[in-house]
Every structure is written in structure tokens, then in C-alpha cells.
Amino acid sequence: MIYFVSIAALIALFAIATMTPINMGVLAFAAAFVVGGWLSGMSMDDIFGFFPGSIFTIIVGITLLFGIARVNGTVDLIVSGALKLVRGKRWAIVWLMFVLGAGLMTMGSVLAVGMLAPIAMPIAKRYKIDPLLMGMMISHGVLGAAFSPITVYGAFTNGWLQSAGLPTNPLALYLIPLGLSFVLALGLFLVRGRDLMKSDGQIIDIDDFTGGGTNSNSPTSLPRGGSLVGASTSSQQGVTARSGAGPMVVTTGPTKPGPDRLEEIEATGFTPIRILTLVGMGALLIGSAVFQLDVGVCSMVIAAVLLMLAPTKHKPAVDNVTWSAVLLVCGMLTYMSVMRENGTLQFLGDAAASLSSPILTALILCYAVAAVSAVGSSIGTLGIVLPLASPLLMLGELGLIGFIAALSFSAVIVDVSPLSSNGVMVLANAQVPDRDAFQKSLFKYTGYIVAVAPLLAWLVVVLPTSL
């Protein structure tokens, strides 16, 4: 009986969080206390012991460090410098947005789409670049890199693998979705961007990228270092995001940094604090990749040093910590630990043993994840499907990392939808004559992704690693 209650509670908390603004993490913590403590007979000390302290430290440390880099202008300086490399090449700016999105997300910035869309979408209109192409290239870059070990998604998935006692491969889990996302982006470019290669004589003014002028018709979007709010705030701009849309959030504030701020950033260049910020970010990447240092501990120490060096200037950086994401991820991982402890996962494993075709079941799960995540929370969907997938992995007929990577990719890539906060930011900043028509185009493209992405992941990743 306890197994059915545990599974029913998991489904219920996902449904409630999807249909209401309630954070799924709160519901998951409540379910952990009720199902674990009252129904399963676990002590509160045991349940508190399931709290993923290392994951908490990673998410807070990385988002705080990246918030510091945004507040002191380091990120703006990097983006501005990168944009100068493609001056005069329209096709290159499209791919640069993919690379920048992937790079920012790799470093832990869940706000990458919101940072790039206000810059790129007006450029798409002025230089006759397909707005759908521009917006989706940003999204594919960001979402493809979503499983970097230091992102919310990567920390969540790797944390689950560790809590389930399964082997992990953070590098493969990061590179596989990124490679699949690149394939989708390449297909999109070949269909909608080939003309950019043929006629590229128009010179793109770098001032257009860095905010030399403002567009009064541009919708409100991300500030530099504003207060985090729910994705539904974008409804004030004429567009809406689904409730409980996961850790990707939007903020309120000016469309993009004003000319005075950007002129000041470019004029001052690499100040000592910006150099130290870059050194700190580089040290984090080297320390975690080469010396296997704990990412959360390193990022927290580096962030603390930078805060002490400029406490007043960096004070707004704390607002960049995605506390809603912290609550969601830690709550879900805690409840999944309860399900493992009370035997629910073992029960699912016994049920999965009767499945006749694990490989076909893997394809069905990939499609189910994509369809549900397109209208619900990505991490919430992963939180449900990963415990269901673990029994298939225990059968030994599927490649573990390949299957997890395919599921993860299928869950996150559909966040191009205008119902997600990524899609909302693209829609809100699109410079198009008919926003409703553009929104329909985004929905159609989302349908294409839901139909193609799971099959692509299954064919390219699951089959080769399972045969």
C-alpha cells in the first residue's frame, strides 16, 4: 500500500505544481515528511539526513558567483567582446548566439536566454534575420548545455544518480544533450537560415548589439541584477508562462542595460574586480575539471572572496540566486530519497522486470517526458520519470548514461515552448508585426521538437549504447 501512496503523492505534487503557482519543492518536502515520517515510519532525523546539502551548495554557490559577474559588468564585457568578432556577418551572429547561450549556461547562468534575447531579437528585425531562427538558436544553445555539472539541471540529475547508487558520468551527461541540441540547431539553420549565407553584404553596427539606441516597442525584459520573480510575471507584457515552469525564471526591469552603463563598462574595460572575477570563474572550471575539487565549495569560497572585496557593489548579486530552484531541486531529491528508503523504487524495479522490450519502453518514456515537460516543469518531469526509469536501468539491457542523457534531453529541449520561461523571453523580445502569429509559430516549432527530439535521442544515443 505504501508504494502506491508514494507514487500517487509524486504524481499529485507534480500535477498541483503544474496547475498552480505553488513551488514543487514545498510540496515535495511535505510529501517527504508525511509519506516518510507518518506512513513509512522513518524518523525526522533520517528524513533531514536525506537533504542534499552538496546540491544546495552547488546551486547557491554557482548562481551567486554568476550574479556577481553580472553585477560588476564582467558578463556584459564578455558578451560585447564576443559580438565584435562577428561584425558584418549575419549568419555568424546567429551561431554566436548559440555559442554564447551554451557558454553562459555551461557556467551556470539559468538566465542566459533572458540576457541574450533582449540584445539579439531587435537585431533580427533590423537586419532581416528570421526571428524564429534567432530566438531558437539562443534557446537551443542554452538548453543544450543545461546539464553542465554546475547547472541546476546537471546538479539535480547527477545528484539523483548518486542518491540511487548508480554510476555517474557528468561529462557525458553534459556533452550528449549539447550534441543533440546542436543537431537540431543545424537542421533549423539549414531550413530557415541558408539565405544568410548567400547575401551577407549588410554591415551590422556593433552599437546595435550593445544598446547604443533603445527601441520603445521592445517589451520589458531582464535587468542586470534585479529581483527574481516567477515566470508568470511576463504576462504583464502580453505573454504568459506556465505555472511551476521549473527553475528558469524571469525578472522585471529595463529591456537591456542603458547606453550609459554599457559605455561605462566598455570605457573602464577589464578593471581589477572584473579580472579577479574572470580568474575566479576560470579557477572554478580548472579546479573542478582537473583537480576534482567540490564545485559547490569552490564556488562558494570564490563568491565570498569577491563579495568581501566589493561588498557594496556586489550586494545585489544575492538577488540572482534562484531560491525557487534551490527549493524545488532539494525538495524533489529529498522525496526521491524517501521513495528509495521505503522500497518504492524496488517495487518499481520488480514491476519493470516483466517488461518485454526495455528498448521500446525507453522510446515511449522519452516521448512521454517531452510531451509532459512541454506543458509542465522540466525538473518536475525528471523527478517523476527518473525513479520510473531506474528499474529499466537495473535490468541491464539499456546503456545507463545514454538512456539518462536521452531522457534528460527530451525533458529540457521542449522548453523552447512559449509556455516556458525560455520561450516567453524570446516572445517578449521579438520585434515582429504580429505577436500572435509569432506565438503560433513558436507553438508549431515546439510541436516539431516534441515529435523529433525524443526519436533523435533514442536513435542516436539509446540504441547504440544498448545493443
Side-chain angles (χ1 to χ4, degrees), residues 12-13 20 30 37 68 84 97 112 128 132 151 168 175 209 227 236 242 253 293 327-328 389 399-400 410 425 431:
L13 68 89
T20 71
I68 291 172
K84 292 178 181 178
M97 287 300 164
K128 298 180 180 179
L132 180 65
T151 65
T168 63
L175 292 178
F209 291 112
S227 298
Q236 298 171 1
R242 62 179 182 267
L293 299 178
L327 183 59
L328 188 151
L400 188 148
S410 299
M425 295 312 302
Q431 304 295 293

Side-chain angles (χ1 to χ4, degrees), residues 262-284:
L262 281 165
E263 288 175 3
E264 181 267 332
I265 289 174
E266 292 186 350
T268 53
F270 288 98
T271 61
I273 194 63
R274 290 172 189 159
I275 293 174
L276 288 174
T277 301
L278 287 172
V279 170
M281 296 171 73
L284 174 64

Side-chain angles (χ1 to χ4, degrees), residues 360-390:
L360 181 58
T361 303
L363 176 61
I364 294 173
L365 279 177
C366 286
Y367 268 109
V369 162
V372 173
S373 184
V375 295
S377 165
S378 299
I379 281 190
T381 303
L382 283 174
I384 288 180
V385 77
L386 288 178
L388 297 177
S390 60

Side-chain angles (χ1 to χ4, degrees), residues 296-332:
V297 173
C298 289
S299 60
M300 196 71 77
V301 170
I302 294 170
V305 171
L306 292 173
L307 286 172
M308 288 188 292
L309 290 175
T312 303
K313 183 180 183 64
H314 290 154
K315 183 179 179 181
V318 178
D319 294 336
N320 286 269
V321 177
T322 51
W323 296 109
S324 61
V326 173
L327 183 59
L328 188 151
V329 171
C330 292
M332 289 298 297

Side-chain angles (χ1 to χ4, degrees), residues 279-455:
V279 170
M281 296 171 73
L284 174 64
L285 293 175
I286 294 173
S288 59
V290 178
F291 299 102
Q292 305 300 313
L293 299 178
D294 186 275
V295 173
V297 173
C298 289
S299 60
M300 196 71 77
V301 170
I302 294 170
V305 171
L306 292 173
L307 286 172
M308 288 188 292
L309 290 175
T312 303
K313 183 180 183 64
H314 290 154
K315 183 179 179 181
V318 178
D319 294 336
N320 286 269
V321 177
T322 51
W323 296 109
S324 61
V326 173
L327 183 59
L328 188 151
V329 171
C330 292
M332 289 298 297
L333 286 175
T334 300
Y335 183 61
M336 281 191 280
S337 295
V338 168
M339 292 180 66
R340 184 192 68 246
E341 188 70 17
N342 69 13
T344 301
L345 296 185
Q346 181 61 46
F347 167 77
L348 292 172
D350 295 338
S354 62
L355 295 175
S356 59
S357 177
I359 292 181
L360 181 58
T361 303
L363 176 61
I364 294 173
L365 279 177
C366 286
Y367 268 109
V369 162
V372 173
S373 184
V375 295
S377 165
S378 299
I379 281 190
T381 303
L382 283 174
I384 288 180
V385 77
L386 288 178
L388 297 177
S390 60
L392 289 174
L393 297 172
M394 294 175 185
L395 293 176
E397 297 186 29
L398 295 174
L400 188 148
I401 296 300
F403 182 37
I404 294 298
L407 280 177
S408 302
F409 170 74
S410 299
V412 169
I413 197 63
V414 295
D415 276 350
V416 297
S417 165
L419 294 178
S420 74
S421 49
N422 285 303
V424 161
M425 295 312 302
V426 171
L427 178 61
N429 290 280
Q431 304 295 293
V432 292
D434 189 341
R435 195 172 299 277
D436 289 337
F438 185 66
Q439 186 177 39
K440 290 179 181 177
S441 297
L442 288 177
F443 275 121
K444 290 179 181 178
Y445 186 73
T446 303
Y448 162 77
I449 292 297
V450 171
V452 172
L455 182 61

